[in-house]
Amino acid sequence: MALTGALLLTSAPVASADQVRDAQWPLTVYNAEKVWKISQGAGVTVAVVDSGVDSSQPDLTGQVLPGKDFTGAGDPHKDTDGHGTAMASIIGGHGHGVNDSAGVMGLAPKAKILPVKVSYKNTATWAAGIRYAVDQGASVINLSFGDSGGYPGSKGAEAIAYAQEHDVVLVSATGNDSGTVTYPAALPGVVAVSGVDKDLSFWSDSNTGKVTVAAPGVELAQVDPNTKSGYSVANGTSGASAYVSAIAALLRSKYPDLTAGQIINRLVKSASFLNNKGKTAPDKELGYGIARPGSALTMNIPKGSKEGPLAKASPSTSTESGAASAGNDNPSQAKEKKDSSSGGILLIAGIAAAVVVIGGIVFAVIRSRRNRGNGGPGDGGGIPPHGTGYPPQPPTGYQPYPNTPPNPGYPTPPGQSPPHPNPYAQQPPHQGQ
């Protein structure tokens, strides 16, 4: 079992831990030092449903809970693939050395990591893993895998519905083959995450369609137990998903009284199309915009309904994904009132009735076959067999980490923000977050 290829397409080793910290560009873009004065994710458990988490890595010591292995190997802290450890470091790494100044610093460095070792191709294992994570008290679950068979009516869909019923935020990668959003990200109520690069532009390999938000997904520094240095750089919506899971942990720590739906409401309504002119929400590439932890933590956003803004449906009767619903929390509420006479109708243009299970299953089968035929997951471009680890070659034009981090920052909003209640029609009040 391995969880690397489909959602972590390229990687290269990094020479030293201090170079890793220097090159963690998402921390610069997110102004993490300022964010951490508000929240560091303390008191929150994030389940990493993945290939396991190597708890012996110096940037993760003390962060990793006992967890459970659903693959039969017996040890959730053994990660021969390295993918789960990488995701855990992006979420909850704390660095090491003098003042923890070296190695990977996660965006939620005080959140605890619950390792749930699964086989992504075996739906029963990750479905059982999700239920286990819920029962262990995880309030955020990161699912950095796709094309997993978690279509409506499957055990995976039922497990995700179980988590939602128990007030858990579920975050999933959209996929990396420039196709459409894969399952489980395509399931109702799941936060589906695409990737952006250092310029905050859409990463062209990200899958598109029913995207919720975007996050950094290119040249991400991460812990890698399979390299000599212990680190690597990689591209993928896996890492983007991990960053959004970290933001959810920051929010759950800061706002413990909010439901999972209300946390997602803050996440969605604080997102922005920074550096992406001409986008309107929901956008097929960036969803409701680039997720921003500082703004999500500080903006004046009403709690909204307990269910939150994402459409939800029975896992056995719908194929709709994490697009905003037509309820009061919908960022495009005014338009939806014209398009629908019922607040329960999903925000999916052109759909006049609910889609039945058979349609979802046929879509999943067609999608799977298409991927096998074009180098997507399941054939070459998919997740590699157990033991192959990261692809050995770096991306074309790859350069080693620089000694100083890039600093794309956020531009100053042009002119005065219009007096409009829709947060997507405004530039954010706090830049650099």
Side-chain angles (χ1 to χ4, degrees):
M1 183 279 300
L3 291 166
T4 301
L7 298 174
L8 187 58
L9 296 183
T10 57
S11 66
V14 181
S16 66
D18 56 346
Q19 283 183 312
V20 171
R21 182 62 59 80
D22 288 343
Q24 279 196 270
W25 66 268
L27 300 185
T28 302
V29 169
Y30 280 148
N31 198 352
E33 293 291 341
K34 185 175 181 180
V35 168
W36 292 331
K37 292 178 181 179
I38 303 170
S39 177
Q40 297 185 38
V44 176
T45 296
V46 180
V48 176
V49 180
D50 213 295
S51 60
V53 177
D54 186 347
S55 58
S56 69
Q57 295 298 309
D59 297 339
L60 287 168
T61 55
Q63 293 295 92
V64 185
L65 300 172
K68 189 172 181 178
D69 185 346
F70 287 87
T71 69
D75 188 358
H77 294 161
K78 185 176 181 180
D79 183 12
T80 56
D81 182 89
H83 188 268
T85 305
M87 298 305 102
S89 69
I90 288 173
I91 296 167
H94 53 54
H96 67 276
V98 178
N99 296 322
D100 293 327
S101 60
V104 171
M105 180 68 75
L107 191 56
K110 290 191 176 179
K112 292 295 184 181
I113 301 296
L114 179 69
V116 183
K117 189 171 182 176
V118 302
S119 169
Y120 101 102
K121 281 296 186 183
N122 185 332
T123 306
T125 67
W126 63 260
I130 287 174
R131 291 178 180 272
Y132 165 81
V134 173
D135 295 342
Q136 292 297 305
S139 59
V140 179
I141 296 178
N142 186 70
L143 306 169
S144 286
F145 54 85
D147 268 355
S148 61
Y151 49 80
S154 69
K155 290 182 178 180
E158 291 171 355
I160 283 175
Y162 176 79
Q164 291 169 340
E165 291 166 1
H166 288 79
D167 197 41
V168 176
V169 177
L170 295 118
V171 184
S172 183
T174 58
N176 300 333
D177 63 1
S178 303
T180 55
V181 175
T182 62
Y183 292 108
L187 286 168
V190 176
V191 178
V193 186
S194 64
V196 294
D197 61 20
K198 292 180 180 180
D199 295 324
L200 305 182
S201 299
F202 175 72
W203 182 49
S204 60
D205 286 348
S206 292
N207 289 12
T208 61
K210 298 165 186 175
V211 176
T212 309
V213 292
V218 178
E219 294 186 33
L220 303 181
Q222 55 196 22
V223 172
D224 185 348
N226 294 321
T227 64
K228 185 176 181 180
S229 68
Y231 301 96
S232 67
V233 56
N235 300 341
T237 57
S238 278
S241 174
Y243 270 113
V244 172
S245 288
I247 296 172
L250 297 175
L251 290 170
R252 300 226 80 162
S253 179
K254 170 69 174 177
Y255 299 103
D257 60 320
L258 296 186
T259 66
Q262 290 166 338
I263 292 293
I264 295 172
N265 185 52
R266 291 196 71 89
L267 177 69
V268 167
K269 290 188 176 179
S270 60
S272 173
F273 291 121
L274 291 165
N275 288 14
N276 291 273
K277 294 181 180 179
K279 296 284 189 181
T280 57
D283 179 73
K284 69 175 184 178
E285 295 178 343
L286 302 179
Y288 291 90
I290 300 167
R292 301 181 302 147
S295 297
L297 288 164
T298 60
M299 282 181 69
N300 183 15
I301 300 172
K303 288 183 179 181
S305 70
K306 292 182 178 180
E307 292 74 20
L310 299 189
K312 292 183 177 65
S314 167
S316 62
T317 61
S318 175
T319 60
E320 302 308 326
S321 74
S325 68
N328 293 333
D329 292 317
N330 191 343
S332 303
Q333 180 179 357
K335 181 179 183 298
E336 289 162 14
K337 287 182 178 179
K338 295 179 182 179
D339 294 341
S340 171
S341 61
S342 171
I345 297 179
L346 304 179
L347 180 61
I348 304 297
I351 294 182
V355 181
V356 296
V357 155
I358 295 176
I361 296 175
V362 169
F363 173 83
V365 171
I366 293 173
R367 170 74 180 147
S368 176
R369 289 176 178 173
R370 184 174 73 83
N371 279 336
R372 286 197 294 270
N374 67 1
D379 184 13
I383 292 173
H386 176 67
T388 59
Y390 293 138
Q393 298 299 322
T396 302
Y398 168 78
Q399 298 292 327
Y401 275 148
N403 291 326
T404 57
N407 186 13
Y410 285 158
T412 302
Q416 181 68 29
S417 297
H420 194 288
N422 184 350
Y424 307 107
Q426 305 178 40
Q427 289 291 335
H430 304 293
Q431 300 301 316
Q433 298 181 56

